[in-house]
Amino acid sequence: MTSPAAVIVLAAGAGTRMRSTTPKVLHRIGGRTLVGHVLATARGLAPDHLVTVVRHERDAVVAHIAEVDPGVVIADQDDVPGTGRAVQCALDALDAATDRPVEGAVVVLAGDVPLLDTGTLVALLEAHEADGNAVTALSTEVDEPSGYGRIVRDADGGVAAIVEEKDATAEQRAIREINASIYVFDAAALREGLGSVGRDNAQGEVYLTDVLALARESGKRVAAIIAEDSILVEGVNDRSQLALLGAELNRRTVHQWMLDGVTVIDPATTWVDVDVELAPDVTLLPGTQLHGATVVAGGAVIGPDTTLTDVEVGEGATVTRTHGTLAVIGPNATVGPFSFLRPGTVLGERGKIGAYVETKNAEIGAGSKVPHLSYIGDATIGEHTNIGAATVTLNYDGSQKHRTTIGSHVKIGGDTMLVAPVQVGDGAYTGAGAVLRRDVPPGALAVTSGTQRNIDGWVTSRFPDSPAAQAAAAAEPPTEQHGVDE
Ligand code: UD1
Ligand code: CA
């Protein structure tokens, strides 16, 4: 197959049935916008030019396209409505952007058909080329054809015309073969046809579909190829279809990962965006959602009930009941259950972030552990350091954020408050309940809590007959005292 001269993506429509302030083509499934899926598919054909026609919410759509594919030529559709006008505007924009008029195959795609794959288009282009067609449309057969344009074939099976639902006779409405709004045109035939398409139809629009009948009437070859897998060519019109196609895309993505060696215990509750990368022998437990550019190395076990967005998970790591974004989890590290990893968290090899721990902008070195009930934010922790339960880095002084730096082989006692900016040197220990406002030198023990006082008999005299007093009276007197005075 030779690459097409141009691919034109139609994305100017309003998408009113979405009932949304977000333009239809910017709604997402599988971690990409609808138009993002279509542009990626179009790029797969390596066209000389890729054009997108915009109008409704054009600034938002243009800004998004510039992000996902800066090479796309933007064509603004004018006041004249209809898919034919949209394509005309695309050709005009191309003429303005290039030295000579486009010649050869021009592919037209709708911006709201997210499951279309490059392979289907390659087959369409090959048939177009092999048969020397002026137009090759992609069609499919559905049980519920209402709302679509119908493919009207004549006695010899050739395509006579495409008739829109609103313009169709009762007989034509019974046709189950529908137009998918995906075509290959010969550029010259397309220009010629668009030159004579009018607006004399039920919607007063310039129909791209009229080009087929016109080409046919002028003796050119026009064909429609039936896509067996209807869902690949299905468009999104409302949020119910968005969910349906989103689920189908996910089903296909997860299925492919299973064939590639990933264990998925419950495909129905496992959601994997299209840009996620998984190694063989990754295990995904039920309720796992992997989003964005998440990458998981071999042997890692994710889930149950874990949501990771743009997270890198190292070989053999386990991530249990965790919510993480823009974080790196090292090889053989363990995270969770109930951990919250915010952006900038980097956990080293064999490190641990345990239950009810929140981290942000935190580098936690190899073998270091934050096992229980802690907040570690704007902090650097060296290697093989242990952070006692309920430790908090107090990074915010009310106006600015400050950093906490803790060395290697440090033991931070339970319930420690680190008032940043503060540093704890290598090999230092800190006592339980410390409030550290000053740096701790390497190897030192820092203690800040006051001396403990025991007032003998206090409970018994204050609450004489209480259960506590009775329990105290029944208790053995202490034989030895534990602990150190500070
Ligand atoms: C069109 C086809 C119909 C086909 C259906 C498949 C025509 C006349 N009809 O229907 O045969 O079955 O798609 O979904 O082509 N768009 C523009 N500018 C416009 C109008 C539409 O760019 O002025 C874009 C939309 O953003 C969308 C695509 O074209 O991406 C299809 O538009 P839509 O209104 O959904 O389809 P219909 O015109 O109803
Ligand atoms: Ca329409």
Side-chain angles (χ1 to χ4, degrees), residues 9-15 17 24-25 53-55 77-78 80-87 109-113 145 147-151 162-167 178-183 201 203 205-210 233-237:
V9 176
L10 306 185
R17 277 176 284 168
K24 175 164 83 174
V25 293
V53 187
V54 296
R55 179 172 165 86
Q77 186 172 349
D78 57 18
V80 181
T83 47
R85 185 62 176 190
V87 169
L109 307 177
D112 57 2
V113 180
Y148 291 101
R150 309 294 204 283
I151 305 285
I162 297 177
V163 179
E164 292 307 293
E165 165 102 8
K166 290 186 173 129
D167 304 295
I178 57 121
N179 172 32
S181 211
I182 295 160
Y183 323 79
N201 53 55
Q203 302 185 84
E205 294 183 0
V206 179
Y207 287 168
L208 179 61
T209 43
D210 284 354
V233 303
E234 214 170 285
V236 172
N237 290 308

Side-chain angles (χ1 to χ4, degrees), residues 18-230:
M18 295 297 281
R19 298 182 183 276
S20 177
T21 54
T22 302
K24 175 164 83 174
V25 293
L26 297 192
H27 281 262
R28 287 173 180 270
I29 60 172
R32 265 189 209 158
T33 59
L34 300 182
V35 72
H37 283 288
V38 176
L39 290 173
T41 297
R43 272 292 172 221
L45 296 173
D48 298 342
H49 306 285
L50 178 49
V51 192
T52 304
V53 187
V54 296
R55 179 172 165 86
H56 177 73
E57 293 284 348
R58 69 87 68 192
D59 290 348
V61 177
V62 168
H64 173 70
I65 291 172
E67 247 172 59
V68 299
D69 190 336
V72 170
V73 175
I74 299 295
D76 283 287
Q77 186 172 349
D78 57 18
D79 294 339
V80 181
T83 47
R85 185 62 176 190
V87 169
Q88 184 65 61
C89 292
L91 292 174
D92 293 347
L94 261 186
D95 285 346
T98 56
D99 316 339
R100 51 199 172 81
V102 166
E103 280 174 41
V106 174
V107 176
V108 175
L109 307 177
D112 57 2
V113 180
L115 265 55
L116 180 67
D117 62 329
T118 303
T120 300
L121 289 178
V122 168
L124 192 69
L125 272 157
E126 279 171 353
H128 179 83
E129 240 174 42
D131 298 344
N133 294 338
V135 190
T136 313
L138 192 62
S139 68
T140 195
E141 287 172 337
V142 295
D143 295 333
E144 234 329 306
S146 71
Y148 291 101
R150 309 294 204 283
I151 305 285
V152 180
R153 293 184 184 264
D154 48 28
D156 63 8
V159 176
I162 297 177
V163 179
E164 292 307 293
E165 165 102 8
K166 290 186 173 129
D167 304 295
T169 62
E171 197 186 337
Q172 287 168 334
R173 283 184 196 190
I175 297 171
R176 289 175 43 247
E177 183 182 1
I178 57 121
N179 172 32
S181 211
I182 295 160
Y183 323 79
V184 185
F185 290 94
D186 170 64
L190 179 59
R191 282 176 207 278
E192 189 187 319
L194 285 175
S196 39
V197 174
R199 288 171 68 175
D200 182 18
N201 53 55
Q203 302 185 84
E205 294 183 0
V206 179
Y207 287 168
L208 179 61
T209 43
D210 284 354
V211 171
L212 279 83
L214 288 166
R216 175 70 184 242
E217 279 159 26
S218 63
K220 298 189 175 75
R221 291 183 65 97
V222 176
I225 303 232
I226 301 175
E228 296 299 331
D229 192 357
S230 287

Side-chain angles (χ1 to χ4, degrees), residues 186-412:
D186 170 64
L190 179 59
R191 282 176 207 278
E192 189 187 319
L194 285 175
S196 39
V197 174
R199 288 171 68 175
D200 182 18
N201 53 55
Q203 302 185 84
E205 294 183 0
V206 179
Y207 287 168
L208 179 61
T209 43
D210 284 354
V211 171
L212 279 83
L214 288 166
R216 175 70 184 242
E217 279 159 26
S218 63
K220 298 189 175 75
R221 291 183 65 97
V222 176
I225 303 232
I226 301 175
E228 296 299 331
D229 192 357
S230 287
I231 203 143
L232 289 183
V233 303
E234 214 170 285
V236 172
N237 290 308
D238 57 34
R239 302 212 199 203
S240 163
Q241 284 171 313
L242 186 74
L244 197 90
L245 291 187
E248 181 59 21
L249 176 61
N250 186 64
R251 201 187 63 71
R252 289 172 189 234
T253 303
V254 169
H255 177 75
Q256 187 59 49
W257 282 121
M258 291 191 283
L259 297 185
D260 290 346
V262 173
T263 296
V264 179
I265 303 299
D266 182 17
T269 62
T270 303
W271 291 80
V272 180
D273 281 358
V274 292
D275 289 325
V276 168
E277 285 175 38
L278 306 174
D281 288 324
V282 162
T283 299
L284 304 182
L285 301 177
T288 293
Q289 304 182 34
L290 303 178
H291 297 302
T294 293
V295 179
V296 184
V301 180
I302 315 286
D305 301 328
T306 291
T307 302
L308 303 180
T309 305
D310 302 323
V311 172
E312 192 184 318
V313 181
E315 224 168 70
T318 61
V319 185
T320 310
R321 292 187 201 279
T322 290
H323 194 94
T325 304
L326 284 166
V328 178
I329 296 166
N332 298 306
T334 63
V335 177
F338 310 109
S339 305
F340 182 23
L341 275 52
R342 292 166 54 200
T345 297
V346 180
L347 178 62
E349 183 164 1
R350 293 186 191 282
K352 178 184 176 81
I353 294 175
Y356 305 106
V357 171
E358 175 180 342
T359 59
K360 183 212 67 169
N361 272 337
E363 285 165 45
I364 300 168
S368 286
K369 295 181 173 159
V370 188
H372 333 275
L373 300 156
S374 294
Y375 172 61
I376 304 295
D378 299 310
T380 304
I381 298 175
E383 300 185 350
H384 305 289
T385 282
N386 193 78
I387 307 294
T391 290
V392 176
T393 55
L394 301 160
N395 55 332
Y396 187 51
D397 64 10
S399 61
Q400 279 182 310
K401 298 282 173 70
H402 300 283
R403 212 164 173 84
T404 298
T405 306
I406 300 172
S408 294
H409 297 281
V410 170
K411 297 233 176 330
I412 300 289

Side-chain angles (χ1 to χ4, degrees), residues 2-14:
T2 40
S3 290
V7 177
I8 297 171
V9 176
L10 306 185

